[in-house]
Amino acid sequence: MKTLKDRVAVVTGAGSGIGKATAIELARKGAHLALADIKEEGIRATAKEIEALGRKTSLHVVDVADKKRWETFPGEVLKAHGKVNVVVNNAGVGVAASFENHTIEDWEWIVGINLWGVVYGCTFFLPHIKQAGEGHIVNISSLAGIVPSPTMPSYCATKFAVRGLTESMRPELAKLGIGVTSVHPGMINTNIPKATRFKGPKAEKLQAQGAALFERLGHPPEKVAKKIADGILKNKARVLIGPETYVFDAFKRALPVQSDRIISQLGFLGERR
């Protein structure tokens, strides 16, 4: 895509964080927005900022893990905007715990949102992007989709899966003139620590520490949003965000065994043994 002017973009998780910042940035580039989130309050606030830029919005309360909701969602967007050019599959959650402390319900919850939410977004909107004649799909992975964390196995599993899905789709859809980009943010100052289930004896303390760490050291979501918009316009395969992501990506490629050992010692947000 050479321009976002008067194109229609769908953004999930648009009520806060990366989703909100991305929706606003795409509006600044000229796009109209279909804003989706599980809570209406957040997307109403996002819509006000976008409408102040002179762009059209529509609001959609969507649980991205709900397949039946996805069956009706594209029709609502088409009714409001007439077409779809861009889909940003952003909504996500986390579980911070060792594998042993994950329940099957934890796995079902995170896979439903982080992986099925992306699969549904790609599946249900792709026919409409094809019909529009040009478009782009953005799937939000993570630094955790590049290097693993021993304390977030389910989060890493879903983010590696999103990366693999995106990289597989890209050459297939390139033949149709549709771009596909995998986005890998590092530490971003969003609500992700609050949307993460911390497990174990020090769960509350670790969650508070995680929130404080992200607030102090995290990059602003607007930085992610600008790189996503640039990635769409330049049809980038991968977008890395934050120096930590570049460092770990290079380290993982150059010294895969050593990098895994170091990461296993560092831990991440969850339990440490």
Side-chain angles (χ1 to χ4, degrees), residues 89-108:
N89 292 304
N90 162 73
V93 292
V95 178
S98 64
F99 176 80
E100 288 181 301
N101 278 341
H102 274 67
T103 64
I104 292 298
E105 290 73 23
D106 290 329
W107 279 98
E108 291 173 340

Side-chain angles (χ1 to χ4, degrees), residues 104-116:
I104 292 298
E105 290 73 23
D106 290 329
W107 279 98
E108 291 173 340
W109 177 66
I110 195 169
V111 170
I113 296 170
N114 289 12
L115 181 53
W116 274 114

Side-chain angles (χ1 to χ4, degrees), residues 184-201:
H184 299 268
M187 290 186 63
I188 310 300
N189 186 9
T190 68
N191 290 329
I192 189 65
K194 296 179 181 179
T196 296
R197 292 180 178 178
F198 283 74
K199 312 290 288 289

Side-chain angles (χ1 to χ4, degrees), residues 10 51 108 180 197 201 214 223 250:
V10 178
E51 288 164 1
E108 291 173 340
V180 189
R197 292 180 178 178
F214 272 64
K223 179 177 182 178

Side-chain angles (χ1 to χ4, degrees), residues 1 85-87 129 135-138 178-181 231-232 235-236:
M1 293 181 67
N85 301 102
V86 175
V87 174
I129 295 175
H136 205 99
I137 295 173
V138 177
I178 299 171
V180 189
T181 298
I232 293 171
N235 192 21
K236 293 184 176 181

